[in-house]
Amino acid sequence: MGRIFVGSGDGRILALNQTDGSHLWSPATRDYIVASVAVSRDNVVYAASSDQFVYALHGDDGSVIWKFETGAAVVATPTLFPERTMPVG
């Protein structure tokens, strides 16, 4: 099933069905998300939140794989590199 992933101003990370736009899952962070999310080839969704965390979620069900505290709000899109590094700003 094709999916569209979106960060929202109410702090949720939404997964929507690509065909009909229906809601699949939407875990919440503690603050707003202003930038796009990034999705890896292995279906991991990365999102940066103003709650001072960067999140990695399973693309299938939205469960948290890990989250990393940055010490400040993150309002930029995570960028994925083949070397398994991820700069965020």
Side-chain angles (χ1 to χ4, degrees), residues 1 5 10 15-16 18 20-21 25 27-28 33 42 44-45 48-49 51 53 55 58-59 63 66 70 73 82-83 89:
M1 171 190 316
F5 301 103
D10 66 358
L16 307 172
Q18 183 177 1
D20 62 12
W25 50 258
I33 299 170
D42 56 349
V44 176
V45 179
S49 176
D51 71 357
F53 284 91
Y55 294 83
H58 285 284
S63 60
W66 56 259
T70 64
E83 299 81 23

Side-chain angles (χ1 to χ4, degrees), residues 26-64:
S26 57
T29 69
R30 294 180 308 194
D31 210 343
Y32 57 91
I33 299 170
V34 297
S36 300
V37 300
V39 183
S40 69
R41 289 183 183 185
D42 56 349
N43 200 31
V44 176
V45 179
Y46 298 92
S49 176
S50 295
D51 71 357
Q52 302 184 12
F53 284 91
V54 175
Y55 294 83
L57 308 171
H58 285 284
D60 292 333
D61 61 11
S63 60
V64 176

Side-chain angles (χ1 to χ4, degrees), residues 16-23:
L16 307 172
N17 180 300
Q18 183 177 1
T19 303
D20 62 12
S22 61
H23 176 265

Side-chain angles (χ1 to χ4, degrees), residues 38 46-47 54-56 66 77-81 84-88:
Y46 298 92
V54 175
Y55 294 83
W66 56 259
T77 301
T79 304
L80 305 177
F81 288 91
R84 297 191 180 261
T85 59
M86 181 184 1
V88 292

